[in-house]
Amino acid sequence: MRQEDLIVSIKRAVTDGRREEVLAATRSVLAEGMSPREVIEAALVPAIDEVGRMYVAEELFLPEMMESAETFQAAMEVLQPLIEAGGGAVACVGTVVLGTVRGDIHSIGKDILALLLRTAGFSVHDLGVDVAPFDFVSKAQAVGADIIACSALLTTTLTAQRDVVEVLADEGRREDYKVMVGGGATSREWADSIGADGWAATAYGAVEMARRLSAAAGYVAD
Amino acid sequence: MQLAELFARADDGPLMPQDQFVMRRLVPALRSSIKDLDITWDKNTFVNSDDGLADRVFEAALRLLETVGVYCPNSDRVMEFSAAEIAAAVAGCPEMVEFGEGAERQTLRARRPDSTARPWVHVGGGMNVSDETVYLRTVEGMASIVAADSIAAPSLPLVEGKPARAGSPQEIMAAVRAVALTRDGLRRAGRPGLPVLNAISTVAASSTMFAATHPEFGMRPSDGYLIDFLAEMIAGYESLQRVAYFTTLGAPIASVATPMYGGYAGGAEGVAVLATAYMVAGRLLFRSCYHFNAPLHSRLLVVTAKPMLWANSLANQAITRNMPMSIFNTAYLAGGSGTRTSHLETAAYLLAVVSSGGHVYTGHAGSAAQVDSLLPIDHEFQAEIGLAAAGVSRAEANRMVAVLYPLYESHLASPEPGRTYDEVYDRSTGRLTAKDLEVIREDVRDELVTVGVRLTKTL
């Protein structure tokens, strides 16, 4: 199969969420002499962008997007070691630690955001639900995060978002991370009142906010 | 099934991680049930009239529940149910439930699609209010709506001006205070026995809920008590604790579920099947005798987008054609309180869900929600629209919604901001001060009459 056909196969495998096909086509196109970075730029990134477009257009939904993201990741696991072996690194928009705050066990909004961030090129560390404020901060330190994102659906759990900001301030690390808050109980006014750096009404808005905050944090993708 | 046996399923069922339950068990089963039973949304349709499709959605929901079960995140186990157990739960659903006390005691009866029977009118919402005066005035105003058969009490998330955290002692104080204020507001409206059907809407901890339901504070076994599912098909110990407590009280239980369009439910077809499955699961697992059917668009945070109108009303039809459950459809609107958009959305939504066998639950803003945004003038008009929707056939509703939808569609993604109580009422008297809201309401009334909604002019 020609390189052009293999690129088309990779793209289709990602949009359809077919893991085995993407692995086979990726290995074939590498054998044809295409560089790992070229595979990412010519096939994987356009494919995952297309998945994002289809999600916004309601042509596919969260399960399909998760399957596409897993397929994308499977191909990256083949390509990334090759790039690193050559002394390079894979571009990353930024690193986000996210979770639903203490006392709140709602996960679906947070799950959607995690996936949208991953497909947008962020490295995401999802801490799950009912996350203690200190756990957000310690994970952010451990992974060198740019952004801490805290979700809260319930009004009675909002204050746990403020706790994250407060822990950062108390530890003298407030300037080390951008803090985003969101979820059904939140508002722009609330975010401003606790000194958060960003707020968005929806997961889609949160991705744009993360891009802006990541850029403001001075993150430079290589 | 005995309660003890029911709860034991959460401790004895198959062990699996939550993500595996969702992606390896729920999602494939939902996809195959949709495919096998040929459930397809004709995107030109707002309100389904095909009884065969409604019945297939019901069958798909039963199949889904039997195949998938319900996940308990506290034990990481799946509560599984046999077809016979599911069928017994469906057969045991009561057609009637008594609510309220004294002059306000009434019977909630299950409706059917295309029914001319008067729907129950449930007004208000569990939205946040900022202080006790607004809380009291809001309850009084809602209870004064003549058509109201019950109210949803607001939420008071503050104690002495400070936020009450989930599970904290302040949460108990706030919940107890809210219950007492609710009963006080009902007395001030001259309707002390009016039932509260959302007890207690925004409480996170079961311990808080149990404390606040002590009869000394004003809650009664003749009120209605909510138990939530988590998205999707998840119910933890907090929910099961409430089942144990409320069944002991002998109080009517409502199950609540919000399947997310665009989330694990997928598109409109998945939402319709999942919403239907939740109603059966609510009866089976929570012993519910009525249900708040509240699927939500994950991006727009509304129920009034086109796929939601179709999916929500179809789920109503699937249930009410096949079991005698009373359904309220929670209306999250794009438009803020007092806006033309919110009235048009309400009309479209109530026409869709009431003609499909649902009762009337007045709405409030979703993405444009703000504190103190429950306005009795809105809910009074919405109640009137809901009553006018009774007797409208599904086919008529589809035609009317097709006319109304383009009038608000462009506002779904960029909602009109609404007004707050103090911007609209004099809090010292409870009197309306923003007379322009009456003008907006009457303009919309004229538009709805033109479409065919059977409203009468009041001004």
Side-chain angles (χ1 to χ4, degrees):
Chain A
M1 200 182 284
R2 293 183 308 128
Q3 279 191 2
E4 292 77 10
D5 297 330
L6 288 166
I7 293 295
V8 170
S9 294
I10 292 171
K11 286 180 178 175
R12 194 176 302 131
V14 170
T15 53
D16 293 349
R18 294 198 299 265
R19 188 175 186 278
E20 296 309 315
E21 279 187 41
V22 86
L23 289 174
T26 300
R27 289 183 182 120
S28 297
V29 82
L30 290 172
E32 289 289 316
M34 201 166 192
S35 77
R37 199 177 289 280
E38 284 174 327
V39 178
I40 293 170
E41 289 168 1
L44 291 178
V45 170
I48 207 71
D49 284 348
E50 173 65 4
V51 168
R53 186 202 64 74
M54 292 168 79
Y55 184 57
V56 171
E58 299 176 9
E59 294 168 17
L60 55 75
F61 301 100
L62 183 60
E64 293 80 20
M65 193 161 68
M66 289 179 79
E67 288 160 354
S68 290
E70 285 169 13
T71 307
F72 175 92
Q73 191 57 39
M76 288 299 289
E77 283 167 15
V78 172
L79 300 170
Q80 196 162 344
L82 299 174
I83 292 172
E84 287 169 358
V90 176
C92 171
V93 179
T95 300
V96 181
V97 166
L98 94 164
T100 306
V101 296
R102 173 175 272 171
D104 202 327
I105 55 172
H106 293 87
S107 66
I108 194 164
K110 182 264 303 169
D111 291 350
I112 292 173
L113 175 58
L115 193 58
L116 290 175
L117 286 170
R118 286 192 179 110
T119 57
F122 285 88
S123 170
V124 177
H125 299 267
D126 184 351
L127 300 180
V129 299
D130 193 16
V131 179
F134 288 101
D135 291 344
F136 279 103
V137 175
S138 60
K139 186 68 176 180
Q141 283 179 253
V143 301
D146 306 291
I147 296 169
I148 298 173
C150 310
S151 173
L153 183 79
L154 301 174
T155 307
T156 49
T157 59
L158 274 180
T159 47
Q161 294 183 331
R162 187 185 63 199
D163 291 349
V164 175
V165 178
E166 200 171 320
V167 168
L168 287 171
D170 286 352
E171 294 188 356
R173 300 179 183 281
R174 182 63 190 91
E175 301 307 314
D176 295 353
Y177 311 102
K178 299 293 183 186
V179 177
M180 285 171 54
V181 296
T186 63
S187 64
R188 188 180 306 282
E189 292 73 28
W190 165 252
D192 291 344
S193 75
I194 64 170
D197 300 297
W199 169 84
T202 66
Y204 305 83
V207 174
E208 290 309 310
M209 176 60 66
R211 283 198 179 105
R212 287 203 293 276
L213 291 178
S214 192
Y219 189 91
V220 180
D222 56 4
Chain B
M1 192 190 305
Q2 295 294 317
L3 272 184
E5 188 187 340
L6 187 71
F7 298 147
R9 304 283 169 98
D11 297 326
D12 300 336
L15 266 172
M16 67 179 64
Q18 186 171 318
D19 58 350
Q20 189 177 323
F21 169 79
V22 173
M23 287 303 292
R24 302 278 177 262
R25 193 164 168 128
L26 173 64
V27 168
L30 184 57
R31 281 175 178 161
S32 65
S33 69
I34 290 167
K35 187 178 173 200
D36 294 350
L37 290 159
D38 190 23
I39 296 163
T40 308
W41 175 35
D42 167 3
K43 291 187 171 58
N44 295 314
T45 306
F46 290 91
V47 183
N48 169 66
S49 299
D50 177 352
D51 289 340
L53 176 60
D55 292 346
R56 293 200 302 281
V57 168
F58 186 73
E59 190 183 339
L62 298 186
R63 191 185 289 188
L64 185 78
L65 187 54
E66 185 189 348
T67 311
V68 173
V70 177
Y71 188 76
C72 178
N74 302 85
S75 59
D76 293 328
R77 290 181 187 270
V78 181
M79 294 175 269
E80 295 184 319
F81 305 101
S82 69
E85 288 166 341
I86 294 166
V90 170
C93 185
E95 187 169 357
M96 298 181 287
V97 193
E98 299 278 335
F99 288 106
E101 302 280 332
E104 282 77 45
R105 186 161 180 83
Q106 291 200 63
T107 304
L108 171 68
R109 295 169 198 274
R111 299 179 75 248
R112 301 255 308 167
D114 302 327
S115 171
T116 57
R118 181 191 183 276
W120 183 282
V121 176
H122 182 49
V123 302
M127 308 290 285
N128 288 343
V129 296
S130 61
D131 65 47
E132 295 191 359
T133 303
V134 175
Y135 192 104
L136 204 53
R137 285 292 183 202
T138 301
V139 172
E140 184 184 3
M142 295 295 179
S144 298
I145 296 171
V146 175
D149 299 305
S150 59
I151 71 156
S155 174
L156 186 67
L158 304 169
V159 173
E160 302 295 335
K162 291 186 175 176
R165 284 172 183 260
S168 69
Q170 290 94 325
E171 189 186 44
I172 293 181
M173 292 171 74
V176 168
R177 188 72 190 127
V179 167
L181 285 168
T182 300
R183 195 57 69 189
D184 205 16
L186 296 177
R187 285 195 195 97
R188 286 169 62 151
R191 304 180 76 183
L194 201 67
V196 180
L197 293 199
N198 70 328
I200 296 168
S201 63
T202 57
V203 163
S206 292
S207 53
T208 301
M209 186 173 263
F210 302 159
T213 53
H214 191 289
E216 187 76 17
F217 308 132
M219 291 305 297
R220 299 161 173 163
S222 59
D223 291 316
Y225 296 79
L226 304 185
I227 305 180
D228 294 78
F229 284 99
L230 293 171
E232 299 294 353
M233 294 303 265
I234 294 168
Y237 282 165
E238 288 277 349
S239 294
L240 299 180
Q241 287 167 2
R242 292 172 201 202
V243 178
Y245 181 68
F246 294 137
T247 49
T248 308
L249 276 186
I253 292 171
S255 42
V256 184
T258 305
M260 301 293 285
Y261 174 87
Y264 298 116
E269 294 89 348
V271 169
V273 172
L274 206 45
T276 306
Y278 274 123
M279 291 191 251
V280 179
R283 178 66 204 147
L284 176 62
L285 190 58
F286 296 166
R287 303 287 172 91
S288 60
C289 49
Y290 65 113
H291 181 88
F292 286 91
N293 182 26
L296 196 61
H297 194 292
S298 65
R299 181 167 52 87
L300 300 171
L301 305 179
V302 299
V303 297
T304 51
K306 193 172 185 180
M308 309 311 297
L309 292 166
W310 180 83
N312 292 6
S313 57
L314 179 55
N316 276 17
Q317 294 173 31
I319 288 294
T320 58
R321 280 184 51 77
N322 291 285
M323 64 188 283
M325 178 167 266
S326 288
I327 304 169
F328 294 93
N329 296 83
T330 311
Y332 296 103
L333 311 170
S337 300
T339 61
R340 173 176 178 268
T341 304
S342 72
H343 294 322
L344 293 169
E345 288 178 272
T346 300
Y349 194 59
L350 288 175
L351 283 163
V353 299
V354 173
S355 69
S356 296
H359 290 277
V360 175
Y361 182 12
T362 56
H364 46 70
S367 59
Q370 53 187 332
V371 173
D372 294 340
S373 60
L374 288 167
L375 307 180
I377 184 175
D378 281 3
H379 293 254
E380 183 178 40
F381 186 39
Q382 292 177 12
E384 192 185 345
I385 295 168
L387 289 173
V392 174
S393 71
R394 286 170 289 169
E396 284 179 286
N398 185 57
R399 181 191 61 75
M400 293 180 192
V401 175
V403 178
L404 293 171
Y405 189 71
L407 302 179
Y408 69 77
E409 183 182 12
S410 64
H411 292 288
L412 290 174
S414 52
E416 279 181 86
R419 313 259 192 108
T420 62
Y421 190 91
D422 283 333
E423 291 169 342
V424 171
Y425 291 96
D426 177 345
R427 64 158 63 197
S428 65
T429 63
R431 291 212 177 98
L432 185 77
T433 53
K435 297 294 184 186
D436 63 313
L437 289 196
E438 291 179 329
V439 175
I440 294 169
R441 182 189 65 193
E442 293 312 306
D443 287 348
V444 174
R445 183 193 302 278
D446 289 342
E447 290 181 88
L448 297 179
V449 168
T450 305
V451 171
V453 182
R454 291 184 275 276
L455 294 168
T456 52
K457 185 124 178 127
T458 60
L459 290 180

